[in-house]
């Protein structure tokens, strides 16, 4: 096996381990992978030392003037960066103990760092102010801030921050800076830091590009959906003209395997994400039944508004049973299945449905009558099929970009974990 094949296999195994860990019930916040921080073998030429030898806190007290305006900032969770909050007059800032931050400071939220709230202050927020719930750090000699920014995304960094925080609840942990500064890190020579930072910046650009591509494709699909499903057709009709709403539940023998579909098995983009086989007898009565090529629509808030539902197929024995909070649509003509799917997944359908929901707060539901009477353009069957085919092609393009994004993200994360936990790769591997 080649070195590149070995690396790909190891990354895949890292991802499977990470996915399994994320599914486990944990007291850790979602942004932190559970475990005790451990360094592996120190890479040749790197320095192992307490992070306090590379970083030092900096305090720039701000004496607030009542009639002056000040930019406030916050640190987003999950290492989402340093972003602006509101601009306030000094007299309107309730916490009077404030400190200036400067561009390229590394800013940590003491109460949110266990959730990954940290990052580099961008030039646009130079001279913003923060309360004493934040700590700003600047590098000593031998540490590049771009490298530090990438280092903060590593599992080891996240775990050291978590284990340097104290409190009785994950939402009430307080960061102990002096403890964290004692944790040892492996830091490469400056030339290698710059090389690695350049490589990871390239990964970030690829991830941003994939994200931007997805947003552009989603906007384009929304426009195509509006044109094909809401502006065309010789006459208006109803969904009830082309589909039966909540048909009779299928009869299945007790020992037959069928698919069980709780609400969380349907995604918010129209997919069955978990195809769980169960004996019909083990499911019991009182569940909603459906068959291959039915279209499900969640009826209860907030599942309806969030887009739960979609075209189901590949069911065990061709039959499924699921939540009673699903409406079932069964096309009279199989060629209309995808046409129905795209209609009920469209934002216009969900927004209209919200106005017809009945029931008390938290238990509001979309009635079957809304779906049956929902107006759709009834162009001829051939045109309906072509419209669905065009929208399916748009979905496939979005899927490919989302797969590319997941690949970039997982590979970068796995490489960083290895680079910053002692299982060293060459800098070329990061590229």
């Amino acid at each position: 096996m080649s070195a590149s094949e070995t690396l790909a296999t190891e990354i895949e195994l890292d991802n499977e381990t990470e996915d399994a860990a994320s599914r486990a019930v944990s007291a850790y916040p979602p942004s932190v992978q559970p475990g005790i921080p451990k360094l592996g073998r120190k890479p040749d030429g790197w320095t192992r030392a307490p992070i306090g030898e590379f970083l030092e806190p900096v305090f720039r007290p701000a004496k607030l003037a009542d009639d002056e305006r000040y930019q406030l900032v916050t640190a987003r969770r999950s290492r989402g960066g340093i972003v602006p909050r509101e601009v306030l007059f000094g007299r309107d800032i309730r916490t009077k103990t404030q400190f200036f931050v400067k561009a390229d400071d590394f800013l940590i939220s003491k109460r949110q760092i266990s959730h990954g709230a940290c990052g580099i202050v961008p030039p646009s927020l130079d001279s913003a102010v923060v309360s004493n719930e934040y700590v700003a750090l600047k590098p000593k000699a031998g540490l590049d801030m771009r490298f530090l920014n990438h280092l903060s995304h590593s599992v080891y960094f996240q775990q050291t921050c978590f284990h340097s925080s104290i409190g009785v609840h994950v939402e009430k942990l307080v960061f102990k800076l002096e403890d964290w500064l004692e944790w040892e890190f492996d830091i490469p020579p400056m030339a290698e830091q710059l090389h690695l930072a350049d490589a990871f910046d390239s990964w970030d650009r690829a991830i941003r590009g994939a994200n931007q591509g997805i947003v552009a494709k989603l906007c384009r699909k929304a426009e195509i959906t509006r044109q094909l499903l809401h502006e065309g057709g010789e006459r208006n009709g109803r969904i009830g003209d082309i589909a039966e709403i909540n048909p009779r539940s299928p009869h299945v023998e007790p020992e037959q395997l069928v698919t069980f579909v709780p609400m969380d098995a349907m995604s918010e983009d129209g997919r069955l994400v978990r195809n769980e086989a169960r004996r019909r007898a083990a499911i019991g009565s009182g569940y909603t039944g459906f068959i291959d090529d039915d279209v499900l629509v969640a009826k209860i808030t907030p599942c309806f508004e969030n887009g739960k539902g979609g075209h189901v197929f590949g069911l065990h024995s061709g039959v499924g049973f699921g939540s009673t909070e699903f409406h079932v649509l069964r096309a009279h003509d199989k060629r209309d299945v995808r046409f129905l799917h795209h209609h009920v997944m469209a934002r216009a359908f969900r927004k209209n449905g919200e106005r017809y929901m009945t029931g008390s707060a938290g238990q509001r539901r979309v009635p079957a009558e809304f779906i049956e009477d929902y107006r759709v353009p009834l162009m001829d069957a051939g045109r309906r099929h072509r419209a669905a085919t065009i929208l399916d092609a748009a979905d496939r393009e979005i899927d490919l970009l989302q797969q590319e994004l997941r690949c970039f993200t997982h590979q970068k994360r796995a490489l960083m974990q290895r680079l910053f936990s002692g299982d060293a790769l060459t800098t070329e591997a990061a590229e």
Side-chain angles (χ1 to χ4, degrees), residues 99-218:
F99 299 87
F100 289 111
V101 296
K102 294 294 185 180
D104 293 330
D105 281 352
F106 187 75
L107 192 62
I108 290 176
S109 169
K110 295 179 184 178
R111 293 191 178 274
Q112 297 292 322
I113 185 58
S114 59
H115 297 276
C118 62
I120 303 294
V121 176
S124 60
L125 295 177
D126 185 75
S127 297
V129 296
V130 294
S131 73
N132 57 4
E133 296 294 343
Y134 288 81
V135 60
L137 300 112
K138 64 179 183 180
K140 299 179 181 179
L143 184 65
D144 176 68
M145 293 304 285
R146 285 191 306 136
F147 175 81
L148 174 63
N149 194 40
H150 290 296
L151 177 63
S152 71
H153 289 252
S154 68
V155 171
Y156 181 77
F157 186 100
Q158 298 160 30
Q159 289 176 338
T160 61
C161 292
F162 182 78
H163 285 275
S164 300
S165 302
I166 60 172
V168 297
H169 190 276
V170 71
E171 293 295 338
K172 298 181 179 179
L173 296 178
V174 178
F175 182 62
K176 306 297 287 185
L177 176 65
E178 60 275 17
D179 292 348
W180 182 69
L181 291 174
E182 293 297 320
W183 283 97
E184 290 189 328
F185 281 76
D186 289 338
I187 305 298
M190 180 58 72
E192 195 163 356
Q193 289 182 46
L194 297 175
H195 195 168
L196 288 168
D198 287 343
F200 284 123
D201 284 347
S202 296
W203 280 88
D204 285 345
R205 285 192 293 272
I207 290 169
R208 283 196 300 273
N211 263 317
Q212 291 167 357
I214 291 169
V215 171
K217 290 291 185 182
L218 287 171

Side-chain angles (χ1 to χ4, degrees), residues 252-292:
V252 180
E253 294 300 322
E255 296 305 310
Q256 190 166 344
L257 285 179
V258 297
T259 294
F260 180 64
V261 184
M263 187 62 72
D264 65 358
M266 291 300 300
S267 73
E268 295 177 1
D269 61 353
R271 304 169 195 273
L272 178 63
V273 295
R274 193 170 69 251
N275 194 338
E276 179 183 345
R278 289 194 188 180
R279 290 170 43 252
R280 174 65 186 95
I283 294 175
S285 60
Y287 288 91
T288 300
F290 42 88
I291 61 176
D292 273 338

Side-chain angles (χ1 to χ4, degrees), residues 228 231-234 339 379-389:
L228 293 177
E231 292 184 352
E234 294 79 9
F339 182 77
M379 67 280 279
D380 64 71
R383 287 181 60 192
R384 294 200 298 271
H385 181 252
R386 286 193 295 275
T389 299

Side-chain angles (χ1 to χ4, degrees), residues 287-347:
Y287 288 91
T288 300
F290 42 88
I291 61 176
D292 273 338
D293 291 326
D294 281 349
V295 176
L296 304 184
V297 176
K299 64 175 76 167
I300 193 167
T301 189
C303 299
F304 174 80
E305 299 96 309
N306 291 343
K308 288 273 190 176
H311 175 201
V312 291
F313 55 92
L315 305 172
H316 293 283
S317 304
V319 177
F321 288 86
S323 170
T324 57
E325 299 295 350
F326 285 124
H327 287 304
V328 179
L329 287 62
R330 185 167 298 158
H332 299 316
D333 183 335
K334 291 287 188 184
R335 293 176 299 174
D336 283 329
V337 171
R338 296 301 294 175
F339 182 77
L340 282 170
H341 165 86
H342 287 295
H343 259 295
V344 303
M345 294 307 300
R347 181 168 178 77

Side-chain angles (χ1 to χ4, degrees), residues 11-25 33-34 406 410 413 417:
I11 289 173
E12 185 175 349
L13 291 173
D14 284 341
N15 292 337
E16 290 176 358
T17 301
E18 181 178 328
D19 291 342
S22 68
R23 289 191 295 270
V25 176
Q33 183 171 310
R406 286 192 294 270
H410 287 169
R413 188 180 302 149
Q417 181 173 345

